[in-house]
Amino acid sequence: MTTVEPPPETAPAPAPASPPEATPPPTVASPPETPSLPETPSLLGAAARRDPYAFYRFLREEHPLLWDARLGAWLVSRYADVAPALGDPGLVGPRRGPCCGPGTVRCTQEYAAPESAFALLREVCARTAYVLARRLAGRQEADLVEEFCRWLPTGTMAAATGLSYGAVMGRSGAVPARSRAEAPAATDLGRRRVGTGVALLAARCADQAALTGQALASLLANLLDNPEQLELVKAVPALIGQAWDESLRRNPPVHVVLRRAVRDLAISGAAVPAGAAVALLVGAANRDPDRFTDPDRFDLHRTNPGALALGPSDCPAARVAELQAECAVNALLTAMPGLRRAEAFTPAESGLLTRAPRLLLVRPS
């Protein structure tokens, strides 16, 4: 409190009729509570890294089309905008990569694999999955991401094609581990399944092995997080396909699809100029409550299809990914019927364009 010095006695001031009342300081209103978001929302910002699903919700509700200056792209988050944009010829993506992706309506793969190739590849995958699962069955604790999910898709392709692990993963300088004629699938092929084309099918799907491994990790995390639905899958293995579809919706491996506008476009009621980069947020669209009931819940009985997943049902790569998911769950539950999450462990996703758990600790029994 400020002390006011009295005036000099030589110049007395007349006392006022009444002392002035102290003026209280002005009241400052508390700022309204707002979501913990950066001043300029960005997919590269702290809020998106901390909780991308909360960030997606904010975008859908407040900014369905938003220019992200840090990313240098327009963010599109609502299902009603993302789904048609994925198939819009006015938005183009890279020429290389898997033949199909989220929201693809028609597979661009000209190769049509015979059903016998899928059947034989399923056998190879089932054997590979069982070997991996049995190695973990006697352990006190295991990491399914590092010791199962990352190995199964690549190991299946390597066994079917005769390529080494490094060659399947696209590492430079990798050479075949054995000749194609000596690969397990090729051996079966030469003995009793002439002309099935399994090695060609596996080779054409090999570039999606890493993405399939991420999707497997999310599927297993969802089942372990929902023990009652895991028990349903144990009792009715035919439900594994539905669990796979639901996991691809709730936790897709591809969260962001980058495109570039080749002409002026109207998206979400606004104009996107030609040449602009556009980020289609698949992870946001797949949890849009205007499209999916209770979208944050994992529900293998969900009846409203339309999730933006790995590709159309007739895509060879999408079919191979699904058969690997079925083989994976069957092998793990056969080798480890008491499989459960490790105590005090909660799986957490990470990644920007693609997301999946990087660690999945379990107790095999």
mmCIF file of all heavy atoms in Angstrom, residues 263-290:
data_model
loop_
_atom_site.group_PDB
_atom_site.id
_atom_site.type_symbol
_atom_site.label_atom_id
_atom_site.label_comp_id
_atom_site.label_asym_id
_atom_site.label_seq_id
_atom_site.Cartn_x
_atom_site.Cartn_y
_atom_site.Cartn_z
ATOM 1 N N ARG A 263 -6.462 -28.527 -59.505
ATOM 2 C CA ARG A 263 -7.343 -27.453 -59.967
ATOM 3 C C ARG A 263 -8.045 -26.874 -58.739
ATOM 4 O O ARG A 263 -7.969 -27.441 -57.651
ATOM 5 C CB ARG A 263 -8.373 -27.977 -60.956
ATOM 6 C CG ARG A 263 -9.168 -29.177 -60.461
ATOM 7 C CD ARG A 263 -10.162 -29.666 -61.499
ATOM 8 N NE ARG A 263 -10.774 -30.933 -61.145
ATOM 9 C CZ ARG A 263 -11.754 -31.106 -60.273
ATOM 10 N NH1 ARG A 263 -12.259 -30.040 -59.642
ATOM 11 N NH2 ARG A 263 -12.262 -32.295 -60.026
ATOM 12 N N ASP A 264 -8.696 -25.756 -58.897
ATOM 13 C CA ASP A 264 -9.460 -25.165 -57.798
ATOM 14 C C ASP A 264 -10.573 -26.132 -57.388
ATOM 15 O O ASP A 264 -11.275 -26.693 -58.235
ATOM 16 C CB ASP A 264 -10.081 -23.832 -58.218
ATOM 17 C CG ASP A 264 -9.028 -22.752 -58.457
ATOM 18 O OD1 ASP A 264 -7.869 -22.977 -58.063
ATOM 19 O OD2 ASP A 264 -9.363 -21.720 -59.048
ATOM 20 N N LEU A 265 -10.713 -26.316 -56.063
ATOM 21 C CA LEU A 265 -11.696 -27.263 -55.547
ATOM 22 C C LEU A 265 -12.536 -26.613 -54.460
ATOM 23 O O LEU A 265 -12.082 -25.681 -53.780
ATOM 24 C CB LEU A 265 -11.000 -28.495 -54.943
ATOM 25 C CG LEU A 265 -10.186 -29.375 -55.895
ATOM 26 C CD1 LEU A 265 -9.408 -30.411 -55.088
ATOM 27 C CD2 LEU A 265 -11.095 -30.061 -56.905
ATOM 28 N N ALA A 266 -13.752 -27.104 -54.301
ATOM 29 C CA ALA A 266 -14.607 -26.702 -53.182
ATOM 30 C C ALA A 266 -14.645 -27.862 -52.202
ATOM 31 O O ALA A 266 -15.072 -28.966 -52.541
ATOM 32 C CB ALA A 266 -16.009 -26.372 -53.671
ATOM 33 N N ILE A 267 -14.157 -27.617 -50.997
ATOM 34 C CA ILE A 267 -14.147 -28.637 -49.948
ATOM 35 C C ILE A 267 -14.753 -28.026 -48.697
ATOM 36 O O ILE A 267 -14.349 -26.947 -48.266
ATOM 37 C CB ILE A 267 -12.720 -29.149 -49.650
ATOM 38 C CG1 ILE A 267 -12.099 -29.773 -50.903
ATOM 39 C CG2 ILE A 267 -12.737 -30.167 -48.513
ATOM 40 C CD1 ILE A 267 -10.668 -30.261 -50.700
ATOM 41 N N SER A 268 -15.724 -28.708 -48.124
ATOM 42 C CA SER A 268 -16.381 -28.252 -46.911
ATOM 43 C C SER A 268 -16.908 -26.828 -47.045
ATOM 44 O O SER A 268 -16.815 -26.026 -46.117
ATOM 45 C CB SER A 268 -15.422 -28.371 -45.707
ATOM 46 O OG SER A 268 -16.125 -28.229 -44.492
ATOM 47 N N GLY A 269 -17.421 -26.502 -48.228
ATOM 48 C CA GLY A 269 -18.023 -25.199 -48.439
ATOM 49 C C GLY A 269 -17.051 -24.062 -48.643
ATOM 50 O O GLY A 269 -17.446 -22.895 -48.646
ATOM 51 N N ALA A 270 -15.765 -24.372 -48.823
ATOM 52 C CA ALA A 270 -14.770 -23.313 -49.035
ATOM 53 C C ALA A 270 -13.903 -23.681 -50.228
ATOM 54 O O ALA A 270 -13.920 -24.817 -50.712
ATOM 55 C CB ALA A 270 -13.924 -23.114 -47.783
ATOM 56 N N ALA A 271 -13.122 -22.704 -50.688
ATOM 57 C CA ALA A 271 -12.305 -22.895 -51.882
ATOM 58 C C ALA A 271 -10.885 -23.292 -51.504
ATOM 59 O O ALA A 271 -10.265 -22.689 -50.628
ATOM 60 C CB ALA A 271 -12.288 -21.621 -52.712
ATOM 61 N N VAL A 272 -10.382 -24.323 -52.183
ATOM 62 C CA VAL A 272 -8.987 -24.730 -52.065
ATOM 63 C C VAL A 272 -8.346 -24.474 -53.421
ATOM 64 O O VAL A 272 -8.791 -25.029 -54.437
ATOM 65 C CB VAL A 272 -8.872 -26.217 -51.688
ATOM 66 C CG1 VAL A 272 -7.419 -26.671 -51.750
ATOM 67 C CG2 VAL A 272 -9.450 -26.461 -50.302
ATOM 68 N N PRO A 273 -7.327 -23.636 -53.483
ATOM 69 C CA PRO A 273 -6.765 -23.257 -54.790
ATOM 70 C C PRO A 273 -5.928 -24.360 -55.414
ATOM 71 O O PRO A 273 -5.382 -25.233 -54.719
ATOM 72 C CB PRO A 273 -5.894 -22.043 -54.438
ATOM 73 C CG PRO A 273 -5.506 -22.264 -53.010
ATOM 74 C CD PRO A 273 -6.674 -22.932 -52.368
ATOM 75 N N ALA A 274 -5.815 -24.332 -56.720
ATOM 76 C CA ALA A 274 -4.966 -25.277 -57.438
ATOM 77 C C ALA A 274 -3.527 -25.155 -56.945
ATOM 78 O O ALA A 274 -3.037 -24.058 -56.671
ATOM 79 C CB ALA A 274 -5.043 -24.998 -58.935
ATOM 80 N N GLY A 275 -2.879 -26.287 -56.811
ATOM 81 C CA GLY A 275 -1.500 -26.318 -56.349
ATOM 82 C C GLY A 275 -1.337 -26.442 -54.856
ATOM 83 O O GLY A 275 -0.227 -26.690 -54.364
ATOM 84 N N ALA A 276 -2.432 -26.285 -54.107
ATOM 85 C CA ALA A 276 -2.341 -26.350 -52.650
ATOM 86 C C ALA A 276 -2.220 -27.794 -52.182
ATOM 87 O O ALA A 276 -2.778 -28.718 -52.780
ATOM 88 C CB ALA A 276 -3.570 -25.706 -52.009
ATOM 89 N N ALA A 277 -1.485 -27.988 -51.097
ATOM 90 C CA ALA A 277 -1.391 -29.303 -50.460
ATOM 91 C C ALA A 277 -2.611 -29.494 -49.560
ATOM 92 O O ALA A 277 -3.068 -28.551 -48.903
ATOM 93 C CB ALA A 277 -0.111 -29.413 -49.646
ATOM 94 N N VAL A 278 -3.125 -30.713 -49.536
ATOM 95 C CA VAL A 278 -4.305 -31.038 -48.744
ATOM 96 C C VAL A 278 -4.005 -32.278 -47.921
ATOM 97 O O VAL A 278 -3.541 -33.291 -48.460
ATOM 98 C CB VAL A 278 -5.532 -31.295 -49.651
ATOM 99 C CG1 VAL A 278 -6.752 -31.666 -48.816
ATOM 100 C CG2 VAL A 278 -5.822 -30.067 -50.514
ATOM 101 N N ALA A 279 -4.252 -32.200 -46.625
ATOM 102 C CA ALA A 279 -4.067 -33.337 -45.716
ATOM 103 C C ALA A 279 -5.437 -33.890 -45.346
ATOM 104 O O ALA A 279 -6.204 -33.228 -44.628
ATOM 105 C CB ALA A 279 -3.298 -32.913 -44.465
ATOM 106 N N LEU A 280 -5.757 -35.054 -45.843
ATOM 107 C CA LEU A 280 -7.029 -35.707 -45.550
ATOM 108 C C LEU A 280 -6.854 -36.540 -44.294
ATOM 109 O O LEU A 280 -6.090 -37.515 -44.277
ATOM 110 C CB LEU A 280 -7.453 -36.579 -46.734
ATOM 111 C CG LEU A 280 -7.551 -35.842 -48.076
ATOM 112 C CD1 LEU A 280 -7.842 -36.818 -49.207
ATOM 113 C CD2 LEU A 280 -8.603 -34.746 -48.019
ATOM 114 N N LEU A 281 -7.539 -36.154 -43.231
ATOM 115 C CA LEU A 281 -7.344 -36.770 -41.918
ATOM 116 C C LEU A 281 -8.255 -37.985 -41.770
ATOM 117 O O LEU A 281 -9.370 -37.900 -41.260
ATOM 118 C CB LEU A 281 -7.598 -35.741 -40.819
ATOM 119 C CG LEU A 281 -6.786 -34.443 -40.918
ATOM 120 C CD1 LEU A 281 -7.044 -33.551 -39.715
ATOM 121 C CD2 LEU A 281 -5.301 -34.734 -41.072
ATOM 122 N N VAL A 282 -7.756 -39.128 -42.193
ATOM 123 C CA VAL A 282 -8.504 -40.378 -42.115
ATOM 124 C C VAL A 282 -8.797 -40.723 -40.654
ATOM 125 O O VAL A 282 -9.893 -41.194 -40.317
ATOM 126 C CB VAL A 282 -7.715 -41.506 -42.799
ATOM 127 C CG1 VAL A 282 -8.390 -42.851 -42.587
ATOM 128 C CG2 VAL A 282 -7.562 -41.210 -44.283
ATOM 129 N N GLY A 283 -7.828 -40.483 -39.779
ATOM 130 C CA GLY A 283 -8.026 -40.773 -38.360
ATOM 131 C C GLY A 283 -9.158 -39.966 -37.757
ATOM 132 O O GLY A 283 -9.857 -40.436 -36.853
ATOM 133 N N ALA A 284 -9.367 -38.745 -38.251
ATOM 134 C CA ALA A 284 -10.478 -37.913 -37.784
ATOM 135 C C ALA A 284 -11.794 -38.359 -38.394
ATOM 136 O O ALA A 284 -12.821 -38.447 -37.714
ATOM 137 C CB ALA A 284 -10.211 -36.449 -38.113
ATOM 138 N N ALA A 285 -11.786 -38.660 -39.685
ATOM 139 C CA ALA A 285 -13.016 -39.054 -40.378
ATOM 140 C C ALA A 285 -13.582 -40.353 -39.825
ATOM 141 O O ALA A 285 -14.804 -40.511 -39.698
ATOM 142 C CB ALA A 285 -12.738 -39.199 -41.869
ATOM 143 N N ASN A 286 -12.708 -41.283 -39.473
ATOM 144 C CA ASN A 286 -13.165 -42.579 -38.974
ATOM 145 C C ASN A 286 -13.759 -42.505 -37.569
ATOM 146 O O ASN A 286 -14.312 -43.500 -37.080
ATOM 147 C CB ASN A 286 -12.019 -43.589 -38.989
ATOM 148 C CG ASN A 286 -11.859 -44.254 -40.342
ATOM 149 O OD1 ASN A 286 -12.714 -44.127 -41.216
ATOM 150 N ND2 ASN A 286 -10.769 -44.964 -40.522
ATOM 151 N N ARG A 287 -13.636 -41.360 -36.923
ATOM 152 C CA ARG A 287 -14.257 -41.176 -35.604
ATOM 153 C C ARG A 287 -15.273 -40.021 -35.618
ATOM 154 O O ARG A 287 -15.548 -39.411 -34.583
ATOM 155 C CB ARG A 287 -13.206 -40.938 -34.526
ATOM 156 C CG ARG A 287 -12.303 -42.141 -34.288
ATOM 157 C CD ARG A 287 -11.764 -42.142 -32.892
ATOM 158 N NE ARG A 287 -10.758 -43.170 -32.677
ATOM 159 C CZ ARG A 287 -10.256 -43.490 -31.499
ATOM 160 N NH1 ARG A 287 -10.672 -42.816 -30.418
ATOM 161 N NH2 ARG A 287 -9.350 -44.418 -31.357
ATOM 162 N N ASP A 288 -15.812 -39.772 -36.779
ATOM 163 C CA ASP A 288 -16.799 -38.701 -36.910
ATOM 164 C C ASP A 288 -18.153 -39.208 -36.397
ATOM 165 O O ASP A 288 -18.717 -40.154 -36.958
ATOM 166 C CB ASP A 288 -16.916 -38.294 -38.375
ATOM 167 C CG ASP A 288 -17.738 -37.030 -38.567
ATOM 168 O OD1 ASP A 288 -18.577 -36.723 -37.694
ATOM 169 O OD2 ASP A 288 -17.553 -36.366 -39.603
ATOM 170 N N PRO A 289 -18.708 -38.603 -35.340
ATOM 171 C CA PRO A 289 -19.994 -39.071 -34.801
ATOM 172 C C PRO A 289 -21.159 -38.886 -35.765
ATOM 173 O O PRO A 289 -22.199 -39.521 -35.598
ATOM 174 C CB PRO A 289 -20.175 -38.230 -33.534
ATOM 175 C CG PRO A 289 -19.344 -37.015 -33.751
ATOM 176 C CD PRO A 289 -18.178 -37.466 -34.571
ATOM 177 N N ASP A 290 -21.002 -38.034 -36.767
ATOM 178 C CA ASP A 290 -22.059 -37.886 -37.772
ATOM 179 C C ASP A 290 -22.106 -39.088 -38.707
ATOM 180 O O ASP A 290 -23.075 -39.259 -39.448
ATOM 181 C CB ASP A 290 -21.840 -36.615 -38.589
ATOM 182 C CG ASP A 290 -22.122 -35.360 -37.778
ATOM 183 O OD1 ASP A 290 -22.834 -35.464 -36.759
ATOM 184 O OD2 ASP A 290 -21.606 -34.287 -38.144
#
